[in-house]
Amino acid sequence: MSKALSHAKIVPRRSTERGHADHGWLNSYHTFSFAGYYDPKFQNFGSLRVLNEDRVAGGSGFPTHPHRDAEIFSYILNGELTHRDSMIKKGSEGTQGDDFFRMKRNDVQFTTGGRGIAHSEQNESDEEVHFLQIWALPWSRGLTPRYHTKTFSEEAKRSSFIPILSPLKAGPGASEAEEKAAEPTLENTIPIHADFVMGAGIIGVDKRFKWTVGADAVKKTTGRNIYVHVPMTKNGNAKIRLDGREDAVLGEGDGAFVSNVNAGDVLSFESIGAAEAEVVVLDSD
């Protein structure tokens, strides 16, 4: 197949080259430097700072911990993970909402750390939970802390890439009222304080999807940075090919840095494995 985006640079990031830490209760793979894993070559990619693929054993998790000046989101692949703000006492949660939510597959929990917030993420079930934890660098420091939780359609993800996150429509100069309204640039997405779009799709065997760089939602239109990740969900049977390139074939756990692309460019994805491929696209300034 010929390259549709001949000007694009695509560099695979192999699963086996990622940082890895197995703590027993937590088995985590790090695309970028994180905790005990440090590689100066992998600090960030545009605003994308952290991409961890985590598995947490039942009855375990991350006790109450603080976040500051980061946009943090968890994308649930399988199992259950309970998000609970530090002000909510276990057993007295009441109705699920942004401060307390038992997340399952297709749920995304989002935290604006801003000037400081604390929460826990616990697997309170008996089964393992598998999820992606992703951090982005915000466009300004000292933002108002905030949570969002949203469920996305698995059926829609099987038809095409769907947007998960898009920039806060009011932009970096948002007023207090605009921050409270939290209107995203793209409808039915979670707003993020960054020139950043996240998409997700499930590409059936021999099917093709396309991602339009910038998703008609960003301010920076040239020199965008796209990171593509294939989560480990199909026992190694999922595989995709990017832009028709044989040197850009990705298996489960693999990712790819796509650079030298501009808003409006169309990146093609072809599922060439024995199983459908779940794919996450992180489109950054």
Side-chain angles (χ1 to χ4, degrees):
M1 295 179 67
S2 62
K3 300 178 184 178
L5 290 179
S6 58
H7 57 278
K9 181 180 180 181
I10 301 179
V11 180
R13 173 78 157 125
R14 298 301 176 193
S15 178
T16 54
E17 297 171 354
R18 294 181 293 175
H20 180 227
D22 189 345
H23 302 285
W25 66 273
L26 167 66
N27 189 6
S28 183
Y29 289 86
H30 312 310
T31 296
F32 299 95
S33 296
F34 188 84
Y37 168 63
Y38 175 75
D39 189 325
K41 299 190 299 295
F42 301 107
Q43 291 291 91
N44 64 286
F45 191 52
S47 296
L48 178 60
R49 173 62 188 88
V50 171
L51 172 53
N52 293 341
E53 185 161 359
D54 291 347
R55 295 179 188 270
V56 174
S60 302
F62 304 95
T64 301
H65 56 281
H67 289 296
R68 182 183 294 272
D69 291 325
E71 304 285 277
I72 298 165
F73 35 110
S74 297
Y75 179 89
I76 309 301
L77 295 161
N78 192 45
E80 181 181 293
L81 186 68
T82 298
H83 149 74
R84 185 182 284 105
D85 181 75
S86 60
M87 300 301 291
I88 295 179
K89 184 178 179 181
K90 186 176 180 180
S92 304
E93 296 92 350
T95 306
Q96 290 195 127
D98 286 341
D99 290 344
F100 162 71
F101 202 88
R102 297 193 188 279
M103 299 175 284
K104 298 180 175 64
R105 178 166 172 79
N106 296 314
D107 291 337
V108 175
Q109 192 278 323
F110 184 94
T111 299
T112 291
R115 57 180 176 262
I117 200 167
H119 74 149
S120 62
E121 293 165 298
Q122 298 279 355
N123 181 356
E124 296 177 353
S125 75
D126 296 328
E127 303 295 326
E128 179 183 83
V129 61
H130 180 199
F131 66 104
L132 303 179
Q133 182 165 115
I134 308 167
W135 297 15
L137 303 171
W139 53 42
S140 57
R141 299 172 65 86
L143 295 166
T144 301
R146 181 75 184 265
Y147 298 119
H148 297 282
T149 309
K150 192 171 180 66
T151 302
F152 294 87
S153 165
E154 176 135 353
E155 182 180 1
K157 282 190 263 184
R158 293 182 187 280
S159 298
S160 64
F161 284 118
I162 63 169
I164 304 293
L165 309 176
S166 69
L168 180 73
K169 189 173 183 178
S175 66
E176 184 177 343
E178 289 169 329
E179 286 283 359
K180 186 174 182 180
E183 183 181 358
T185 299
L186 300 177
E187 289 186 4
N188 300 314
T189 62
I190 294 172
I192 182 171
H193 297 90
D195 198 37
F196 186 106
V197 183
M198 175 182 176
I202 303 169
I203 312 175
V205 177
D206 295 330
K207 302 295 184 182
R208 292 176 174 85
F209 279 10
K210 293 180 178 180
W211 176 259
T212 300
V213 175
D216 294 323
V218 301
K219 297 297 185 185
K220 182 187 178 187
T221 58
T222 60
R224 294 197 62 80
N225 296 295
I226 316 296
Y227 193 81
V228 175
H229 182 67
V230 183
M232 299 182 290
T233 58
K234 295 295 179 181
N235 297 313
N237 292 311
K239 187 181 295 185
I240 65 170
R241 178 163 49 217
L242 295 179
D243 193 44
R245 305 186 189 195
E246 292 305 325
D247 60 355
V249 171
L250 308 179
E252 292 182 39
D254 290 345
F257 299 96
V258 183
S259 57
N260 198 33
V261 290
N262 305 315
D265 285 346
V266 177
L267 181 63
S268 67
F269 296 71
E270 181 185 3
S271 177
I272 59 172
E276 64 185 16
E278 187 155 6
V279 180
V280 170
V281 179
L282 303 163
D283 186 330
S284 179
D285 54 6

